[in-house]
Structure formats: C-alpha cells, structure tokens
Amino acid sequence: MPQPLPSKENSLFKQVVKNYEAKQYKKGLKSAEQILRKVPNHGDTQAMKALILNAQGNSTEAFELAKVALKNDVKSHVCWHVYGLLYRTAKNYEEAIKAYKFALKLDPDSAQISRDLAQLQVQMRDYPGFVQTRMAILKSRPHVRQNWTAMAVAHHLNGEFEAAERILTTYEDTLKSPPPKSDIEHSEAILYKNTIIAESGNIEKALSHLEAVMKNSLDRTAVMEMRARYLLLLDRKEEAQKAYRALLDRNNEYRAYYEGLEKAMGLDRTDDDSIPKLAELYESYAAKSEKVDAARRVPLDFLQGESFKTAADRYLRSMLKRGIPSTFANVKALYRDPAKRTIIEELVNGYASEQLTNGSAENHEGDRSSNKFDEAVLYFLAQHYNYHLSRDLSKALDFIDKALEMNPKAVEYGMTKARIWKHYGNPAKASEIMDEARTWDERDRAINSKCAKYQLRNNENENALKTMSKFTKNETVKEALGDLHDLQCMWYLTEDGEAYLRQGKFGLALKRFHAIYDIFDIWQEDQFDFHSFSLRKGQIRAYVDMIRWEDHLREHPYYSRAAIFAVKAYIMLHDKPHLAHESLTNGFTDMDSMDANERKKAMKKAKREQEKQEKAEAERKEAEKKAATKKPATGADGELKKEDKDPQGTKLARTKEPLQDAGKFLSFLLEFSPKNIEAQNVGFEVFTRKNKHLLALKCLLAASSIDSENPTLHEQTVRFRRTLDTLSEPLPPPVAKVIDSTFTLIPTS
Amino acid sequence: SDPAPPEKISAEDRKAAAALSSLDARGEDDDAPAGKKEVDTEALGKAMRGLDVKEEGKKEEVKRKVVKVDQGDVALFVEQLELSKAKATELLKAHEGDAVKAMSAFVTASA
Amino acid sequence: MDIRVLRPSDIPNVQTANITNLPENYFCKYYLYHAMSWPQLSYVAVDVSRPPKTPYDPPKIVGYVLAKMEEEPADGVQHGHITSLSVMRTHRRLGLAEKLMRQSQRAMAETYGANYVSLHVRVSNAAAKHLYSDTLGFTIEKTEPKYYADGEDAFSMRMDLSDLRLKMQDSDDEDEEGSVGQDEG
C-alpha cells in the first residue's frame, strides 16, 4: 500500500509528479528531496525521484533508488510503474512488461499503466497480450473513439479480421449522427475498416462498403485506387477500365495505373495480338499531354523490331533535343535485350554522324537548341560506352571529352568522366576528376557527395570527411563525422567502413559497421512514440503500414551490406588475431612467416606500443578539451550525448570472441535476408569455424536454393565434406543422421 | 541547373525537434469530456454488453496435443542450432518430439 | 519514373536522397512524423525501370516532396507547407519537381481543405524560384531577412489552392448528377 504522507508533503508530492510531466527536473528533484527529509523511506517519492534521475541520464543511480523504493513499498503501483518505466528507457522491454503487469495488479483501473503496457506489447509484437490490454482499456473508457480504434488495430494485427471489423462497426453504430465530412478521424476509421474487409479476402463486400462510404472519404486518391483494384479483382472489367482511366487523369506518371488499365482491357504484353492495341492505348495518353513521360517510355518495353526502332527514335530525339540529362538512365533498362541495345546504339551513333556531315542533326532548329542536342548526344554516347552491357571505355572517354569541349564546366560530364576512370580500375584518377568537377559548382551538395564517395573508394578517408564537412553543420565537438552519424548518413558510414577495411584498419571499419547496426536499432525504436501518436492523429492505415515495414526493417540493403562486411572482418580477426594491431599489419612484420613463439612476442610488443599511443592520445584529447570553448555535444532533442570511449574501435577489433561478435550481425542477416546469397556464404564461414555443422549445412542448402552455380558455394561444399570426413570425434548420432539425409550436394566419399 | 528545393534554417531544425519531442505527449484519451463525437449512451451500453458475450465465446481455447519432449534433445538443439530453450522445445513439439525430423526440417527450411 | 505517394518503407532512401542533395537534413523519425501525420501529402519519384537484384532491393528514389499541414497556423487559415523537395541531379529537367508538387498540392486541398501552400526559398536560388513562381504559380509573400543560418534572406512564397478546391466541388456535384470521371488536365 502506498504510505500516507502528511498533507503538506502530499501536495508537494503532487507537485513532483507535475514537474516530472512538464520536464522540470530540477524543481521536481528539489521537492522530492524535501519530502524525503521528512519521510526518508517514502517509496513513492523515492520512485518519482528515480524517474527524474533517469530522465536526467543517471540511469544506474535511478535503478538503485527504484529498488530501494520497491523494498520500502512493495505493494505500491507507483513503485512498480516507475520500475517498468526505467526498464523501458533501458530498452529491456520484457522486464518492463513484467513490472507494468505487477503495477496493474495493484491498481487495475489505472489508464496510464494500461496504456504504457499496451504500447510495449505492440512494440514487442505480443499481439495476444495487446488484445487483452486494449480490451481492458476499452471497457474502462468506452466513450473514447480511440479506444475502439485501438481495439480494432489489436485484433487486426493479431490476425482476427472479423473481430476487428465488428469492433469498428459497433462503435459506428453508437454514433447519434454521422460526423461532418471534415472529420478526418472518422473518414480514416471508415477507410481502415475497408482495408480490413479487403484483407480478409471478401472483395465483394469491400467494394460495396467502399461505394457506400466513398463520397464522404477525404483521401480521394486512396479511395479511387482501392475501388479500381477491387473492380479488377472482381473481373468487372468495364468499370475497372473507367476507374483506372480516372486515376490516370489525375496522375499519368504511375505505371501501376497503366498496368491496371491494360488488365482491365484484357491486353497482354506477351501476346502479339495485343501489341497494336497497347501501342494505340499509350499513343492516346501521350497525345493528351506534352509533359508525360510514362506514356512515351513504356511502349519501348513491349515493342519489338521496326516498330521499336521507330518509337525509340522518336523518344530519343525528343529527349535529347530538350537536353535531358537522364535520357540514358531512362532507357538503359532496355539493354538487357541485345537487339534493342544494338538499335539504340545505332540510332544515337547516327545522330552523332549526322552532326558531322550536316553541322547538326537538328539543323532546322535554332543554333542554341542544336548545340543542346549535339551535346546531349555526346553525353549519351559517353554513358552508353561506359555501361557494363555496352562497355568500350576508350570510346566513352572520347565522347565525354568532346562533350566537355563544348561545355567545359558541366558537372554531369565531369561525373561521368570520373566514372569512366573508375571502370578503368583507377580510383585515384577517378577521385581526382570528381574533385575537379566539384569545384565547378561548390554550392551543389550532390557533386560534393559524389566526390566524397570517390575519395572513399580511393581510401582517402580524411579527404572525404573534409569534403563532407563543407555541407555539415560542424557544431558539436564531434564535428562533421558526428553530424553524419546523427543524421544517419548510411552511405557515408558504410563506404567509410569499407575503405578502412581495405586498409586493414579493423577498429575503424568495425566502428562504422556497428554505427549502421545502431542506427537500425534507432529506426526500430522510432516507431515507439507512434503507437500512441497515431491513435491521436487517427491515421490508422498509415500506422499499420509502418508496423509492417518495421517488421522487416533489417532486410534493407543498408543493413545487409554493412553486416556482411562486419562478419567478414570478424572472420579475418578470428583467423589472424594480430590484424587487430595495426603496427603488425603495416608491412614491417611478416606474421605468417614467424613461428608461434615469435608471433606471441610480436603481439605483446604491439600491444604495449598501442597502449602507449592510446595514453598519449588520451592526454592530447584532455588538453584539447580544456582549451576548447565549444559547446558540449547534444542531440537534436537537447539531450546530452555520452562521450564515445572507443572512437578508434580498438576495443571492437581486439575482441576475444570475434565469432561471437559476428553473430550479432549475422543473426539478423540470416533472419531478414535469407535470400541474399552472400549472407548465406558468410554464415557458413562463421558456423563452420564454430563447429556448428548443422547451421553451416543450413547455409549451404539455402545458398544452393538461391543459386546452385555460386562458386563460393562450391568451394564451401567441398570444404564441408572434408571437414565431415576428418572430424576428431564423431558427431552425436541424431546430428550425423540429419547430415547424412540432407547433405546431398556432393556424395559421401 | 535545376530547381532546387526550399531550404531550411536552424529555425526549421528547432521546429523539427519540437515536433519530435511532442510525439510522446500524454493524453491519448485523457479524461477530457466525452470527445467531440456525439455518442448514443444507450447504444454504447448495449455495445459494451456485446463485447462480453463475444469474449466468452472466444474463451473456449483449443486444447493442444500434449507432446513429451526429451530434455536431452532440447539441450542438443540449444547446442547445435543456437536456439533458445523455449524455441528448441517449440521446434521439437512441432515434430512430435522426433529430434531427427525436427532438425532436418530446421536445416532444410529455407532451401 | 513513377510518381506515387510516399510509403514508410521509402523513408531510408528518401532520407538518403535528401542528405545527398540538400544541406538541411532530418532524422528518420521526422520523415516518419510526416508520414504518420499526413500520409496523403508526401510523394516520391521512383525509377522503376530496373528490376531488383535481390528480393530486398528497395525502389530507387530519384526525387521526393516532403509535405505537411501547418499544425497551428499563425493566420488561423488551414494551409499546407513544403518541408523539403529534391530531385536527384541525374534526373533533373524531367519535370519531376513539378509533378511531385502538383500531386501533393491536390492532396492538401482534397484531404485537409488547405487554402494555400507555403514554402521558403533562398533569394539567390534562381532555379527554384523559377519553378515555384513561373511553373507552379507561387507568389512571393514577403522577404524574410537573414532567414538562413549563413545570413542569406529567404523568400516566403505561397500559392493559393482555391482553384483546386473549386474543382473538387465541381466534381462532387458531377458525382451527384451521376456522371463519371473528371479531367483535371
């Protein structure tokens, strides 16, 4: 039971709670201490004090105090609630849920505790628990619409479509009169219900419901898209046609609409009879608007032979005449078809030779526009010969130089020239040219970013950071690099890490890969506030979209790319621990030719040296800090940032358990990107070193199902066979049995 | 070159920070007066009684088949497949406690 | 290039497009805040021509407009605001910025009854000013001195959306009369 307080202290306590909620931590702390001077063992006050300490960033102290508070008052819901909140900020959600549940037992009617619990349950995807908690909340506060909507969300996420729909309908039926059309919460709740009906598979019902409510829906685009889709699914082609045409009238640059219309018209791109009708259809849309690109570009996908050539000629000429720099990007997807590739090459080469004979291919136009055309042709050809499916680098270089002659400071041309040198395998020259192009437009961040990327590809980490810093704020003590971390600049961190890895700087490389890992944690955490925010806003369809995206967040290549490199780095560190010591990898010492004793000695020496360096570095930093007048590092939320104790990643690289550490990256990699063959390849390497033969085999089998011709897979399969043949002790019988029956990639020897 | 975008200053940054820090504002449903929507109290009461009926209907849980699981097998799974104890038990149960079947299924799952 | 509404799963790549091109950058969560508050208003331009190499390849974002409604309008008038707009350097002159803006503006009027849309632009940014005033029809509301951190002034621009609202009304009336479809050109 909460201990009673004298009345003065009691009102002080209420003040503390208010102060905390208003984030007035200093005031709150003062009042709490005042109470505790009078009633030293008052659990609730101690708990509140702990909460404030926690908000100020003193989490260790907060936890200690919260424990004391609980000891003093184990039956107080406040103490348990606070205990849960501390665990929640520490991101130990399981413990937080337990604490909230204790608190709820003691105070079953607390709306706040229930809501906090529900939020954690959905964050943890404990949907049955979420359903239960939301039901309790709904029962205690049925007059609030949000509670009905939240109940429906819980059922929906838990896969109970009917229950979800019923809840929403039940609430609608309690409304005395329909809310005004401008009520976005209502409009969204109705559309949300419609998506649930459709997801449950009853398209017929979804359509009739939609048609009944669409007049009052505020999200017109969504309604029109849903209706068109339902009509098509129900094979009501006439109406579907009209629906897709209406969508195209609103937005003629969305291929999904064209595809819907094609289907509604019964047209099929792989059927010869359909082609003329398709061509006619797109022609009609092209005629409607001068600005539309899709209607002109899409036919190039399905036309063949002469009609392709005619259409391509028209398309290319019109694009090049307007000097559109992305012309090549717009058509290069066609290059997978060698015939189309050849036609395009001939066409554009033709424009170039027309220039030579006639002065300009478009000589009937004014001078300025012909120049634009001529330049665009040269630029196109440079990109064409630089592209991997049509590569001829010397031609590419020739064309880009000609384009540069006409327009010496065109940033795009400089970028392409740098790219050509990259393909020549000369990252130094590529970086140099990109840096020059950067100076042609110093206010453009795009060329600046490209320049930094090329510098990283050339292992110039410091130059790259300098380049980036021209556009970062550089306000915190961490400067440009800190800004890039804070603003989650994924590409830079990844490229920086890869460059360090190429140079054998394992610490810094791992540091960057871990940064990527941590940003994914942040992104996962980012959804937290929206569990309640979205209910307030009433945008439920968007919220459910977010939940589903977050569920497979880590399949993003930003994650898998960094994770694969991190795992590779750890494997190298496992095989050759001396790599963690830079002084042993810089060429002076040939570790491979030493015997074990010598190696040990060298390692010891290296460690001593590194320690000395670190000490010097620490002293230098300390001195710098004292001299600096810069403000302390804070995040955008104004919270103080903790100082990084291992900025060089030295500790990361000198791990005693590299394979264990690799596991942190690997498990998400295999869980979310199982169809990424490289993920399976590196998975095998880790498991085989840990003697987890079944897991290694799982990787081999998965890789084989993705691409049985993968060369790494072949080498690994042979190695796996050999490992099995030379085991020092036999495998447990069930394991051996499983391997015998499932490892059929190569026969037993 | 081409249209570049409206640019922002640190004032915008502050706006962003303010928006973000207010996301977790309390008051999801608050004790505010019954909300802006006119709810028919009688209908609401009926709706609430309806909830209970539905819940009861749901309570008949499907009885799960009881599968005996060998603790030695669980330990083997934890060792060999790096699974948690709970996951290992679940996997075994899903295959009637047959270790070889369960492991084979696990190993070939994504293949 | 497809023009379509922004989805939560687009956010990492929209964030990259932003930080690659523009000096003002935001956390993932700020994009999420837009997408969760006004999911109808932000649009992306997507290069759909290349098939993904793995099942996990996200769509290639070549441009975006991040937009919102002003939550507490100083003038008390419901209006939209463009938080950020960018088109990749490699995909300029295709009219993508205009197409993105038009979709967003219509959604502002349709879904939220916005009376106008506002934005800020550097006085020196002639290209952007051209897009906003000549192509889209924005007018300069006022100049805000030293609006930018480096001391540059900003034009505060706005565009009236009542035409769009009228058009909606018309098409609503047409619906009443039972006719189908509408042409907004």
Side-chain angles (χ1 to χ4, degrees):
Chain A
M1 276 299 111
Q3 302 153 288
L5 281 174
S7 81
K8 185 183 160 216
E9 277 69 27
N10 197 33
S11 53
L12 257 178
F13 181 77
K14 281 181 189 152
Q15 198 53 50
V16 176
V17 176
K18 270 194 195 141
N19 288 149
Y20 169 73
E21 279 169 0
K23 299 188 179 170
Q24 300 164 326
Y25 300 136
K26 273 188 193 157
K27 270 192 194 169
L29 216 51
K30 231 171 126 189
S31 308
E33 273 154 11
Q34 203 180 330
I35 302 171
L36 289 173
R37 273 198 292 276
K38 191 93 176 265
V39 194
N41 292 328
H42 189 251
D44 286 2
T45 306
Q46 288 171 325
M48 282 311 298
K49 186 181 167 186
L51 202 51
I52 294 173
L53 288 171
N54 189 54
Q56 290 176 320
N58 307 320
S59 80
T60 322
E61 212 183 318
F63 262 105
E64 274 166 23
L65 187 59
K67 275 180 202 159
V68 175
L70 265 177
K71 225 181 247 165
N72 285 330
D73 200 350
V74 75
K75 294 235 163 121
S76 152
H77 64 86
V78 175
C79 292
W80 281 107
H81 191 182
V82 166
Y83 204 45
L85 288 168
L86 295 188
Y87 270 123
R88 170 206 180 298
T89 32
K91 304 198 167 68
N92 186 341
Y93 294 147
E94 270 158 43
E95 289 303 316
I97 285 180
K98 276 189 214 160
Y100 286 161
K101 282 185 174 167
F102 265 113
L104 260 186
K105 252 186 217 156
L106 297 164
D107 184 12
D109 297 327
S110 164
Q112 194 52 57
I113 302 173
S114 296
R115 284 200 297 259
D116 285 348
L117 175 62
Q119 216 174 8
L120 275 184
Q121 285 169 322
V122 65
Q123 177 79 10
M124 296 295 286
R125 307 298 194 258
D126 169 12
Y127 293 139
F130 184 46
V131 167
Q132 236 179 24
T133 309
R134 284 310 331 185
M135 184 58 85
I137 296 172
L138 174 58
K139 281 184 178 170
S140 69
R141 279 144 197 270
H143 57 279
V144 182
R145 177 171 210 157
Q146 281 172 32
N147 290 338
W148 290 86
T149 310
M151 186 71 244
V153 171
H155 280 311
H156 182 204
L157 294 177
N158 198 31
E160 305 163 290
F161 296 106
E162 261 180 59
E165 184 196 336
R166 201 167 47 222
I167 287 285
L168 291 168
T169 308
T170 307
Y171 178 79
E172 282 167 33
D173 291 346
T174 67
L175 288 172
K176 273 185 192 155
S177 55
K181 192 179 169 179
S182 61
D183 185 336
I184 185 100
E185 184 186 21
H186 182 69
S187 166
E188 279 298 316
I190 301 281
L191 280 193
Y192 174 51
K193 186 167 97 173
N194 190 263
T195 61
I196 293 173
I197 300 171
E199 267 181 45
S200 75
N202 193 342
I203 304 298
E204 194 86 50
K205 183 174 168 191
L207 180 63
S208 58
H209 175 255
L210 187 68
E211 287 183 333
V213 301
M214 58 194 278
K215 241 183 67 67
N216 287 312
S217 284
L218 292 165
D219 188 347
R220 193 181 287 235
T221 304
V223 166
M224 292 175 74
E225 286 180 353
M226 287 152 85
R227 182 162 173 273
R229 197 165 57 84
Y230 298 161
L231 287 168
L232 194 58
L233 282 169
L234 294 169
D235 215 28
R236 285 163 61 171
K237 289 201 167 134
E238 286 276 315
E239 292 155 283
Q241 255 196 64
K242 273 186 194 156
Y244 278 111
R245 285 188 185 276
L247 282 164
L248 281 168
D249 286 341
R250 287 162 62 91
N251 177 4
N252 56 14
E253 295 286 6
Y254 192 10
R255 279 162 178 74
Y257 296 165
Y258 288 105
E259 281 155 19
L261 180 56
E262 286 180 22
K263 279 191 196 129
M265 294 174 74
L267 299 173
D268 176 357
R269 293 184 187 187
T270 59
D271 165 31
D272 285 346
D273 293 342
S274 286
I275 300 296
K277 285 177 204 143
L278 281 166
E280 198 183 315
L281 173 68
Y282 282 94
E283 195 78 45
S284 72
Y285 274 100
K288 275 192 190 187
S289 156
E290 254 179 58
K291 285 180 178 172
V292 63
D293 178 69
R296 297 189 164 83
R297 169 62 185 80
V298 171
L300 302 185
D301 289 338
F302 58 76
L303 293 174
Q304 306 287 339
E306 264 315 299
S307 46
F308 171 80
K309 190 174 174 179
T310 313
D313 184 34
R314 201 165 51 166
Y315 184 73
L316 289 167
R317 276 186 193 271
S318 115
M319 297 284 278
L320 295 171
K321 209 160 70 185
R322 284 179 286 156
I324 291 173
S326 62
T327 307
F328 181 73
N330 277 28
V331 298
K332 72 178 178 199
L334 299 165
Y335 281 34
R336 266 167 295 149
D337 179 341
K340 292 187 179 180
R341 191 165 75 217
T342 310
I343 291 174
I344 291 176
E345 182 175 354
E346 284 169 6
L347 280 171
V348 186
N349 269 318
Y351 307 154
S353 53
E354 281 170 45
Q355 279 174 40
L356 289 177
T357 49
N358 303 335
S360 168
E362 298 284 317
N363 51 3
H364 53 280
E365 303 245 347
D367 270 337
R368 268 183 59 90
S369 69
S370 357
N371 271 346
K372 199 155 67 174
F373 180 83
D374 296 347
E375 236 182 275
V377 167
L378 293 172
Y379 179 47
F380 185 99
L381 288 170
Q383 291 174 90
H384 170 90
Y385 288 114
N386 194 24
Y387 187 52
H388 70 102
L389 290 176
S390 46
R391 187 162 293 167
D392 181 338
L393 293 177
S394 69
K395 273 191 184 172
L397 205 54
D398 193 37
F399 281 114
I400 204 65
D401 280 337
K402 278 186 187 149
L404 276 164
E405 256 167 55
M406 294 183 77
N407 192 350
K409 297 216 163 166
V411 172
E412 283 77 21
Y413 304 168
M415 283 165 74
T416 299
K417 187 165 177 176
R419 226 170 125 81
I420 296 169
W421 281 104
K422 185 179 87 174
H423 292 150
Y424 264 124
N426 191 341
K429 180 107 183 168
S431 160
E432 195 183 297
I433 291 171
M434 201 62 100
D435 194 38
E436 196 191 339
R438 183 188 61 75
T439 62
W440 298 340
D441 187 357
E442 301 220 22
R443 294 191 56 183
D444 183 59
R445 193 176 192 177
I447 177 66
N448 183 275
S449 300
K450 263 277 187 292
C451 174
K453 182 176 159 184
Y454 273 57
Q455 288 170 326
L456 289 174
R457 289 287 169 94
N458 193 38
N459 298 342
E460 304 168 54
N461 302 68
E462 279 174 28
N463 284 342
L465 190 59
K466 241 182 251 161
T467 303
M468 291 298 280
S469 75
K470 293 180 198 300
F471 281 88
T472 55
K473 296 215 163 78
N474 312 325
E475 277 168 353
T476 67
V477 283
K478 290 188 295 171
E479 300 195 325
L481 191 60
D483 289 345
L484 294 168
H485 273 93
D486 286 351
L487 290 163
Q488 308 167 340
C489 189
M490 306 303 257
W491 75 263
Y492 183 87
L493 297 173
T494 307
E495 293 277 356
D496 203 32
E498 287 173 17
Y500 280 128
L501 190 57
R502 281 194 296 272
Q503 299 164 69
K505 294 178 177 171
F506 282 79
L508 283 163
L510 286 172
K511 192 79 193 165
R512 299 295 174 266
F513 301 143
H514 277 268
I516 299 279
Y517 185 99
D518 293 343
I519 290 170
F520 272 90
D521 275 352
I522 293 172
W523 286 357
Q524 192 175 358
E525 183 69 16
D526 278 346
Q527 66 181 300
F528 202 102
D529 290 340
F530 293 102
H531 299 315
S532 57
F533 177 86
S534 286
L535 283 174
R536 290 205 304 277
K537 278 277 171 186
Q539 301 285 357
I540 308 302
R541 290 176 302 140
Y543 171 70
V544 172
D545 276 353
M546 176 197 73
I547 293 282
R548 289 177 176 165
W549 166 55
E550 291 276 2
D551 277 342
H552 55 96
L553 183 65
R554 284 184 181 80
E555 73 174 34
H556 198 288
Y558 287 161
Y559 178 80
S560 48
R561 182 167 158 187
I564 286 168
F565 274 101
V567 173
K568 282 183 179 168
Y570 278 122
I571 292 169
M572 287 190 254
L573 287 171
H574 168 83
D575 294 351
K576 295 180 176 176
H578 72 266
L579 292 176
H581 300 271
E582 264 175 53
S583 61
L584 295 181
T585 58
N586 57 10
F588 297 116
T589 333
D590 180 8
M591 292 291 280
D592 291 333
S593 66
M594 293 182 189
D595 68 28
N597 231 343
E598 284 171 326
R599 228 178 287 172
K600 238 187 190 169
K601 264 191 206 158
M603 282 280 277
K604 264 195 184 155
K605 195 173 156 232
K607 273 187 192 165
R608 271 202 307 274
E609 251 168 55
Q610 208 132 350
E611 274 158 22
K612 235 162 76 189
Q613 273 175 21
E614 274 164 26
K615 212 176 147 200
E617 174 75 3
E619 278 163 10
R620 193 184 59 79
K621 278 242 167 99
E622 194 52 41
E624 233 174 46
K625 229 198 223 161
K626 275 182 192 155
T629 51
K630 279 176 185 154
K631 59 181 177 181
T634 51
D637 41 9
E639 272 171 43
L640 232 62
K641 287 265 153 99
K642 277 186 202 136
E643 201 206 340
D644 187 347
K645 297 239 168 67
D646 185 23
Q648 302 295 309
T650 317
K651 287 197 189 97
L652 288 175
R654 290 198 209 155
T655 171
K656 293 230 162 58
E657 296 182 308
L659 296 180
Q660 217 57 40
D661 296 351
K664 174 175 153 171
F665 288 92
L666 184 61
S667 56
F668 280 138
L669 190 56
L670 293 176
E671 182 182 350
F672 292 104
S673 309
K675 299 246 174 272
N676 181 328
I677 197 154
E678 247 194 297
Q680 299 294 348
N681 290 161
V682 297
F684 173 85
E685 296 297 340
V686 171
F687 292 132
T688 199
R689 281 167 177 76
K690 291 169 87 176
N691 289 321
K692 305 280 179 189
H693 304 299
L694 285 177
L695 290 169
L697 174 57
K698 188 174 165 66
C699 289
L700 290 183
L701 294 174
S704 156
S705 79
I706 302 164
D707 175 13
S708 57
E709 304 293 313
N710 179 267
T712 308
L713 167 67
H714 271 265
E715 185 274 321
Q716 289 179 337
T717 308
V718 173
R719 191 145 38 101
F720 187 62
R721 180 78 270 160
R722 215 165 43 225
T723 306
L724 292 179
D725 292 345
T726 55
L727 288 173
S728 54
E729 50 185 290
L731 294 167
V735 175
K737 232 174 165 178
V738 173
I739 292 179
D740 279 347
S741 65
T742 52
F743 182 43
T744 49
L745 295 172
I746 47 172
T748 43
S749 52
Chain B
S1 83
D2 199 47
E7 290 163 88
K8 299 283 131 35
I9 53 149
S10 41
E12 270 301 306
D13 271 0
R14 279 197 295 279
K15 222 154 94 184
L20 291 184
S21 71
S22 70
L23 288 183
D24 63 346
R26 286 279 153 109
E28 168 182 326
D29 64 20
D30 284 322
D31 293 312
K36 48 191 180 212
K37 269 136 226 150
E38 285 282 312
V39 175
D40 183 333
T41 324
E42 203 177 304
L44 195 62
K46 217 173 105 196
M48 292 311 292
R49 286 191 294 280
L51 279 183
D52 284 335
V53 174
K54 271 160 227 151
E55 261 204 311
E56 268 161 37
K58 237 182 58 188
K59 273 183 186 148
E60 294 169 37
E61 279 198 23
V62 204
K63 272 190 195 157
R64 282 238 194 94
K65 218 173 23 173
V66 186
V67 178
K68 266 242 151 200
V69 166
D70 183 285
Q71 284 312 304
D73 287 344
V74 173
L76 181 73
F77 279 31
V78 170
E79 218 298 286
Q80 295 284 332
L81 305 179
E82 297 191 342
L83 294 175
S84 69
K85 238 176 140 180
K87 282 259 183 276
T89 311
E90 202 179 295
L91 177 64
L92 268 164
K93 276 188 177 163
H95 294 88
E96 285 94 33
D98 185 328
V100 173
K101 252 200 226 164
M103 282 196 286
S104 299
F106 181 84
V107 167
T108 55
S110 53
Chain C
M1 251 46 64
D2 271 2
I3 304 283
R4 61 158 172 81
V5 81
L6 174 145
R7 303 170 187 147
S9 56
D10 295 322
I11 289 175
N13 295 75
V14 168
Q15 187 183 34
T16 298
N18 163 274
I19 203 166
T20 306
N21 290 334
L22 300 180
E24 280 306 323
N25 316 119
Y26 315 98
F27 309 110
C28 173
K29 198 171 177 182
Y30 194 54
Y31 295 92
L32 211 46
Y33 161 68
H34 281 74
M36 291 301 106
S37 303
W38 311 279
Q40 304 82 1
L41 302 189
S42 295
Y43 272 78
V44 288
V46 184
D47 181 353
V48 284
S49 59
R50 281 184 300 175
K53 283 184 212 130
T54 75
Y56 314 109
D57 280 7
K60 191 175 157 48
I61 305 285
V62 298
Y64 68 87
V65 58
L66 187 70
K68 56 182 281 195
M69 292 300 294
E70 205 56 73
E71 296 208 77
E72 284 157 12
D75 54 7
V77 181
Q78 271 278 68
H79 69 273
H81 184 78
I82 302 299
T83 298
S84 185
L85 166 70
S86 174
V87 172
M88 287 291 199
R89 183 163 194 123
T90 46
H91 286 76
R92 292 184 184 166
R93 279 193 246 168
L94 280 172
L96 295 177
E98 180 194 347
K99 288 167 185 171
L100 290 164
M101 284 290 281
R102 293 214 188 274
Q103 294 298 327
S104 177
Q105 287 170 354
R106 183 177 50 215
M108 285 173 184
E110 279 182 358
T111 307
Y112 299 98
N115 292 280
Y116 66 90
V117 51
S118 64
L119 55 81
H120 288 107
V121 61
R122 280 178 187 266
V123 291
S124 69
N125 194 344
K129 217 190 109 219
H130 169 78
L131 167 76
Y132 297 129
S133 47
D134 301 343
T135 312
L136 291 163
F138 276 75
T139 51
I140 295 173
E141 187 64 12
K142 59 183 169 196
T143 307
E144 295 191 23
K146 299 210 166 111
Y147 183 86
Y148 294 97
D150 57 10
E152 188 171 343
D153 299 351
F155 290 131
S156 168
M157 303 184 84
R158 68 163 67 172
M159 179 182 168
D160 189 77
L161 298 179
S162 48
D163 276 2
L164 282 173
R165 283 153 58 89
L166 269 177
K167 216 170 268 178
M168 275 162 51
Q169 222 104 57
D170 288 351
S171 75
D172 276 357
D173 295 345
E174 277 172 37
D175 286 350
E176 298 276 309
E177 289 154 22
S179 75
V180 231
Q182 71 220 61
D183 187 7
E184 300 187 9

